Amino acid sequence: MKNVLVTGACGQLGSELSLVLEKMTGTENLVISDICRPPAHLSHLQFLMLDILDEQAVKQVIEEHSINVIFHLAAMLSATGEHRPRQAWTLNMEGLINVLDAARTHKVDKVFWPSSIAAFGSHTQLDKTPQHTIMDPETIYGISKLSGELWCKYYVDRFAIDVRSIRFPGLISYKSPPGGGTTDYAVAIFHQALKGEDFECFLGENTRLPMMYMPDAVEAIFKLMQAPKESISVRSYNLAAFSVTPGELTLAIQKHFPHFSTRYNPDFRDLIAKTWPSTIDDSVARNDWGWQPQYELSEVVNDMVTNLRMTIDD
Ligand code: AKB
């Protein structure tokens, strides 16, 4: 990787990925972008205000910085998308197409784009969801992810752009908060526990979703991006680490905070979650590029609690 551009760098995934990318590319070869100012821990990086809906601006950045690799992360997530469906569609689709087209025009070597478990739907086999199965998403975010997968494949087949993608489960991290997703509860719950307060959960106690710890997610992106072209058999890979319900996560957190408790007040996000896989079959990623998660639930909980405690103590 020589000159790298990250879009949506201030988001949950972008802000962690950018720091790891910096170690690989060097600060001078990394350009991060978003439509809001970067948080303090990214302020030493080359930052550009870039609206991915501005097609000319996207092309200009790629040209001026001789970008060879793009990590296109800017998107609106599932829950916010349900409040603003047209904006979610425009941002998620037009943004992706602008990036793919700029990559084609400027002969970018590789593009990474995150898909999601939201691309599946209620007729999908939701237990051990296979790589190839029925996909009938019911949220606008999910529809944009499924359409985005098809657009990526189209650019691969038609223009030989090397686009690679992962269908991410919910991501758990302590460095930056998620924004507007259905899986966000799995981060918010830790912050409440650390504050010594109970948690009101917008999912039902038994709603099981696949989750992944951020270091595993970042590692997966690098593994996929570094895999030889010949080993890539699909463009958007299923990926799993562990699956958990809010009830089980509460029990795991209670091992550290015995007085912690969760009240359940499921809202529209619980209905969304019920159309998403509860567990994922990621054997294609394991076979193609050796995917192997490092973090199980108990390790994630230990690490989250330790690191959030340090943040509070600082
Ligand atoms: C969301 O909840 O919208 C995201 C996702 C699963 O893609 N975290």
Side-chain angles (χ1 to χ4, degrees):
M1 275 187 254
K2 266 172 69 192
N3 296 328
V4 174
L5 172 67
V6 180
T7 73
C10 300
Q12 188 195 16
L13 180 56
S15 59
E16 300 221 19
L17 183 73
S18 297
L19 289 177
V20 185
L21 272 169
E22 183 196 8
K23 294 201 189 100
M24 301 176 75
T25 63
T27 314
E28 60 292 353
N29 298 323
L30 176 64
V31 178
I32 65 166
S33 67
D34 210 311
I35 50 167
C36 55
R37 303 292 322 161
H41 68 279
L42 299 181
S43 59
H44 62 291
L45 298 178
Q46 269 189 88
F47 175 81
L48 294 175
M49 280 285 185
L50 176 63
D51 179 357
I52 49 148
L53 294 180
D54 185 342
E55 191 181 346
Q56 288 317 316
V58 172
K59 287 196 168 142
Q60 199 177 330
V61 167
I62 292 173
E63 190 177 352
E64 276 174 11
H65 294 267
S66 308
I67 297 296
N68 335 84
V69 181
I70 305 174
F71 293 83
H72 172 47
L73 311 178
M76 195 184 290
L77 295 187
S78 57
T80 313
E82 289 311 284
H83 295 303
R84 293 186 262 151
R86 284 197 68 157
Q87 278 155 290
W89 176 257
T90 306
L91 178 68
N92 295 359
M93 292 319 313
E94 293 296 324
L96 174 62
I97 295 167
N98 285 346
V99 167
L100 291 174
D101 216 50
R104 175 176 72 91
T105 315
H106 293 285
K107 305 207 176 338
V108 167
D109 295 334
K110 275 185 195 165
V111 177
F112 176 81
W113 174 76
S115 185
S116 163
I117 53 167
F120 297 109
S122 51
H123 291 87
T124 300
Q125 176 189 316
L126 296 180
D127 183 30
K128 298 199 183 73
T129 301
Q131 175 70 44
H132 301 286
T133 184
I134 295 172
M135 298 177 81
D136 57 347
E138 290 176 15
T139 60
I140 200 69
Y141 172 71
I143 296 171
S144 74
K145 287 299 181 189
L146 177 56
S147 311
E149 288 191 8
L150 297 172
W151 272 97
C152 290
K153 188 171 179 307
Y154 179 77
Y155 267 74
V156 174
D157 296 343
R158 181 85 203 272
F159 304 116
I161 313 273
D162 190 354
V163 192
R164 302 183 182 193
S165 170
I166 285 171
R167 292 172 180 155
F168 277 116
L171 298 181
I172 300 180
S173 62
Y174 61 90
K175 287 187 190 152
S176 6
T182 301
T183 58
D184 292 11
Y185 92 86
V187 176
I189 193 170
F190 285 97
H191 289 271
Q192 284 302 104
L194 264 289
K195 278 196 255 168
E197 290 171 15
D198 291 344
F199 181 60
E200 183 168 315
C201 188
F202 56 74
L203 297 189
E205 183 170 4
N206 299 314
T207 303
R208 184 177 301 284
L209 284 173
M211 297 281 173
M212 181 175 289
Y213 201 33
M214 187 59 85
D216 269 342
V218 171
E219 176 65 18
I221 294 175
F222 287 119
K223 267 194 125 95
L224 171 62
M225 290 299 268
Q226 284 161 355
K229 261 189 183 158
E230 318 72 69
S231 59
I232 302 296
S233 68
V234 293
R235 286 293 151 183
S236 294
Y237 281 93
N238 276 11
L239 208 69
F242 59 94
S243 287
V244 70
T245 64
E248 290 163 355
L249 188 50
T250 300
L251 283 176
I253 293 174
Q254 280 169 344
K255 294 201 174 122
H256 299 263
F257 302 97
H259 301 296
F260 175 70
S261 74
T262 299
R263 278 189 315 282
Y264 297 94
N265 190 7
D267 65 17
F268 72 101
R269 289 167 283 192
D270 194 51
L271 299 177
I272 294 178
K274 289 201 161 88
T275 68
W276 290 358
S278 47
T279 58
I280 301 272
D281 173 359
D282 61 0
S283 50
V284 181
R286 288 173 190 254
N287 292 335
D288 283 6
W289 41 275
W291 164 244
Q292 179 69 58
Q294 299 301 315
Y295 290 86
E296 282 296 332
L297 175 63
S298 59
E299 290 149 347
V300 173
V301 174
N302 289 344
D303 210 60
M304 283 290 286
V305 169
T306 308
N307 281 291
L308 286 174
R309 267 200 180 119
M310 287 199 290
T311 324
I312 287 171
D313 292 345
D314 279 350

